[in-house]
Amino acid sequence: MPIAITMPALSPTMEEGTLAKWLKAEGDPVAAGDVIAEIETDKATMEIEAVDEGTLGTILVAEGTEGVKVNTVIAQLLEEGEDAGSAQAAPSGGNGAEAPTSAPDTPEPAAAPVATPAVAKPVVTIAADPDIPAGTAMTEITVREALRDAMAEEMRRDESVFLMGEEVAQYQGAYKVSQGLLEEFGDKRVVDTPITEHGFAGVGVGAAYRGLRPIVEFMTFNFALQAIDHIINSAAKTLYMSGGAMPVPIVFRGPNGAAARVAAQHSQNFASWYASVPGLKVVAPYSAADAKGLLKAAIRDPNPVIFLENEILYGVSQEVPDLEDYVLPIGKARVVRPGTDVTIVAYSISVRDALQAGEQLAAEGIDAEVIDLRTLRPLDTATVVESVRKTNRIVAVEEGWPVCGICAEIAAVLMEQAFDDLDAPMVRVTGEDVPMPYAANLEALALPNPNKIVQAAKSVCYRD
Amino acid sequence: MVVRILRLLRPADIGVFMAKAPATDKPKARRKAAPKSSVDATPEALLQFYRDMLLIRRFEEKAGQMYGMGLIGGFCHLYIGQEAVVVGARAATEESDAVITTYRDHGHMLACGMDPRGVMAELTGRIGGYSRGKGGSMHMFARDKNFYGGHGIVGASTSLGTGIALANRYLDNNEVTLTYFGDGAANQGQVYESFNMAALWKLPVLYIIENNQYAMGTSTARSTAQTKLHKRGDAFGIPGSECDGMDVLAVRDAVAKAVKHMRAGKGPYILEAMTYRYRGHSMSDPAKYRTRDEVTKVRKERDPIDHIRDQILESGAASEDALKAIDKEVKAIVTDAADFAQQSPEPDLSELYTDIVITADAAE
Ligand SMILES: Cc1ncc(C[n+]2csc(CCOP(=O)(O)OP(=O)(O)O)c2C)c(N)n1
Ligand SMILES: [Mg+2]
């Protein structure tokens, strides 16, 4: 029986791709490990390697074909004694080719860790940002590019700013956030470190003591656990312990929160951990424009700033203002969808879900106001309280665990400042109170989603 | 079927069957070069090594395919190319000895005798997996096989393995612990904290550094001041040596020597196995940090499975047919595991909230 060679997925979320090139012709011998074809997606070029050995039988999908669905049979591999004739028989199960293993021209991550899942652009409108002057031209770029541009602009502006971390230079960043920085700034200012988080976080803090402005990238914040001692004990407390003598201008940045299918050690949200520490500032943007404006602010800030990004958002394209020097204030939330019936507060990727929920609620006649917290320390409680005074109802959303989370903090603030304004008890929509499971069905269950937010909003409106 | 062309043997490969005197134990003497192995194994042992390595190779290829079909998600770090390390090490230890490793763990689990079905079903996130679908590729455990995991945090296995060795010393049972980690992990601070404690307390732990030359996209030369990683124990007085990690017999012999040292109560040992990963770091890898030629050259010249195949045929330990029979057997095992992994159901949704904490009586 011939073996079916099927269109492989480059990541669990890839659905289709282009069959760019056949490197073997019908009748060519194929050995395990031979590259037989190249496929492309919007993110990467990948080679398909043969796993079984045999002869390439009929090619069923011609090169240049676009939109080839994953798992489509693209060719047949004939085993010993078979000819193309027998290949007409139904191909046996299995897959004669290997998932691609190399992407010579990867412009985007799909990189080392997990391939960034393609995120559908939310079909929601975001309210105009009052910080952007009316009439400003906008350019659509990805969150990844916005972060890179912020670093590049600050590095051009200030010689003391430099970037260090694992794979930030030659590899262009594990998630390609530092793409092009090595080429522009050289290896003095874009520094690849060994895998030594505790060590290089301390090295960064020491350099900040001496007056530099390091940006320390953690490949993900899961690995910052190795370094959290320096973040808290050496960075956050030093200004205080020195009676104001020793400021620590440093940014610790990287992806935080759940990625896709990477299980408990690689999928967790540390926002509330850092947000509880005096001496730190904590920023967690959602949009590309905020990512840029706030990262620039973080780099200029004279304090240690924890800058929490999100892997799944890196590839999302959004509009960023074409302004010479777009710097946003740290510590200010933003109303991203004005409304009157219920307030939904969220940060980072949960803003996406909250905005989608806002659209669904509108369709059901509930006018939700969505607030993007953007900064978690200092928390802009005034914006939240003001909204609640108007709507009298609130749902708080975060992807992290519920216990001692950011939502729990908001509940406490509302008890103190807006108790009499509430017409219903606040409801939280959070990640479930469990380590992140690997199984696809359990993982989906463990995370917030727009439907859960819609349900919560209806319940505080007594509409369920 | 393409007839496999056997590559010519390199002079160093041409071994003879010979009875070797038991290796003399001189732990303090450092080797200058990697030990050369001669074919001093029984035909049965050679065939077993061939089978065990081939099982890992085929299993990993299948996992790669299933990833491509969307059946496996997230990270999936394949062990292809490095098979001789775990198979050789296992051959020099007892089943009661412990093993702990990193996220590149499928080969270690198979070498420990864990069921390919259970491993593959964990990769697909199904209830039949070793962690009931909750752990995935990087997180599986089997207490009955003395396999202590799959750990996703680079460097973590070193102190954990040292702790297992501490427990074994405490329990006075003469078991040793094989603690695997990578060349990149060798730079983590906890490695040296562990070395110090292991040497101080003379713990029976073998640190096996699988030096596949790259940590993600960073070569050892770009990350490491002292690239002879087995010398990293010098400051603690821990003996170390290097072996050809692409040669199962070389690994077996080197591990045997280290095990003897440990069982004699002389404390830890560091073995650096020089190896190579053929595939990307995880499933998609831009692969710009090395050339395709470099990978092809290693595959052609140093492949551990081709190597033992040649040794078997050259020495007359078995015929081509015998090897073919093994190929068939292995293929059937892997196909069965893949079928099982697709048929096993997803975990019940109630599993989300199980296994978070345990009651004292359930732990009995
Ligand atoms: C503490 C920590 N930092 C970073 C990572 C991301 N990471 C995963 S594997 C890896 C490379 C490790 O290389 P090496 O130790 O040589 O092992 P190999 O992958 O080659 O087997 C990195 C940086 C991690 N998992 N844990
Ligand atoms: Mg390595």
Side-chain angles (χ1 to χ4, degrees), chain B residues 70-261:
Chain B
L71 292 163
I72 297 172
F75 294 134
C76 186
H77 308 88
L78 301 181
Y79 195 63
I80 297 177
Q82 302 182 208
E83 298 90 346
V85 182
V86 289
V87 172
R90 202 60 195 164
T93 47
E94 304 295 326
E95 271 179 20
S96 52
D97 294 324
V99 172
I100 186 165
T101 188
T102 69
Y103 44 84
R104 198 177 299 287
D105 54 0
H106 313 160
H108 302 70
M109 296 189 281
L110 296 175
C112 284
M114 287 168 66
D115 181 0
R117 284 183 159 199
V119 180
M120 197 66 99
E122 192 57 40
L123 298 187
T124 52
R126 306 300 175 89
I127 193 72
Y130 268 97
S131 301
R132 307 173 66 76
K134 290 163 146 181
S137 162
M138 301 183 286
H139 311 300
M140 286 178 240
F141 303 81
R143 279 164 74 176
D144 61 330
K145 300 286 183 192
N146 293 301
F147 179 73
Y148 290 87
H151 297 270
I153 301 302
V154 169
S157 63
T158 54
S159 24
L160 299 171
T162 306
I164 296 167
L166 176 103
N168 283 330
R169 167 53 43 86
Y170 190 102
L171 298 169
D172 206 10
N173 59 15
N174 212 29
E175 287 164 15
V176 302
T177 303
L178 304 186
T179 298
Y180 291 91
F181 53 101
D183 47 284
N187 290 317
Q188 283 285 32
Q190 61 179 309
V191 174
Y192 301 93
E193 299 178 24
S194 301
F195 282 1
N196 184 46
M197 287 184 274
L200 188 65
W201 300 330
K202 286 209 180 332
L203 301 179
V205 52
L206 173 56
Y207 299 104
I208 302 185
I209 306 176
E210 295 196 61
N211 186 348
N212 60 12
Q213 302 172 44
Y214 295 93
M216 228 173 236
T218 305
S219 64
T220 41
R222 293 207 305 114
S223 67
T224 305
Q226 166 57 276
T227 52
K228 292 270 169 220
L229 300 176
H230 60 279
K231 292 192 175 162
R232 293 282 193 93
D234 283 1
F236 309 93
I238 305 178
S241 61
E242 163 186 312
C243 71
D244 181 356
M246 308 296 277
D247 178 343
V248 69
L249 299 182
V251 176
R252 179 202 60 181
D253 293 348
V255 171
K257 188 177 158 230
V259 165
K260 202 164 176 205
H261 171 87

Side-chain angles (χ1 to χ4, degrees), chain A residues 208-283:
Chain A
Y209 286 175
R210 183 63 185 79
L212 299 185
R213 289 178 174 269
I215 305 169
V216 171
E217 174 175 311
F218 292 114
M219 192 175 282
T220 75
F221 263 91
N222 303 290
F223 314 140
L225 286 177
Q226 309 270 322
I228 200 164
D229 174 63
H230 276 309
I231 298 173
I232 313 281
N233 272 328
S234 310
K237 297 171 181 173
T238 299
L239 184 70
Y240 193 83
M241 295 191 301
S242 66
M246 183 65 78
V248 188
I250 188 168
V251 175
F252 297 103
R253 52 155 288 271
N256 171 61
R261 304 291 307 281
V262 293
Q265 291 184 337
H266 287 77
S267 253
Q268 41 199 339
N269 179 338
F270 296 100
S272 68
W273 292 37
Y274 294 108
S276 77
V277 181
L280 294 179
K281 293 189 178 182
V282 182
V283 179

Side-chain angles (χ1 to χ4, degrees), chain A residues 5 50 104 139 157 180 245 264 339 376:
Chain A
I5 301 175
T139 309
R157 182 180 165 271
L376 305 176

Side-chain angles (χ1 to χ4, degrees), chain A residues 327-349:
Chain A
V327 187
L328 286 169
I330 290 176
K332 284 187 76 175
R334 185 184 148 207
V335 176
V336 288
R337 182 185 204 284
T340 52
D341 296 340
V342 55
T343 300
I344 304 175
V345 294
Y347 62 92
S348 188
I349 195 167

Side-chain angles (χ1 to χ4, degrees), chain A residues 20 101 122 149 201 226 255 264 285 328 350 359 397 401 410 455:
Chain A
T101 56
D149 291 353
Q226 309 270 322
L328 286 169
S350 294
E359 296 291 304
V397 189
W401 292 306
I410 286 173
Q455 286 317 314

Side-chain angles (χ1 to χ4, degrees), chain B residues 18-27 31 35-36 38 40 92 249-261 264 266 269:
Chain B
M18 57 177 205
K20 220 171 80 172
T24 43
D25 185 34
K26 285 202 222 101
R31 286 188 196 237
K36 288 208 170 57
S38 47
D40 61 341
L249 299 182
V251 176
R252 179 202 60 181
D253 293 348
V255 171
K257 188 177 158 230
V259 165
K260 202 164 176 205
H261 171 87
K266 295 178 182 172
Y269 194 96

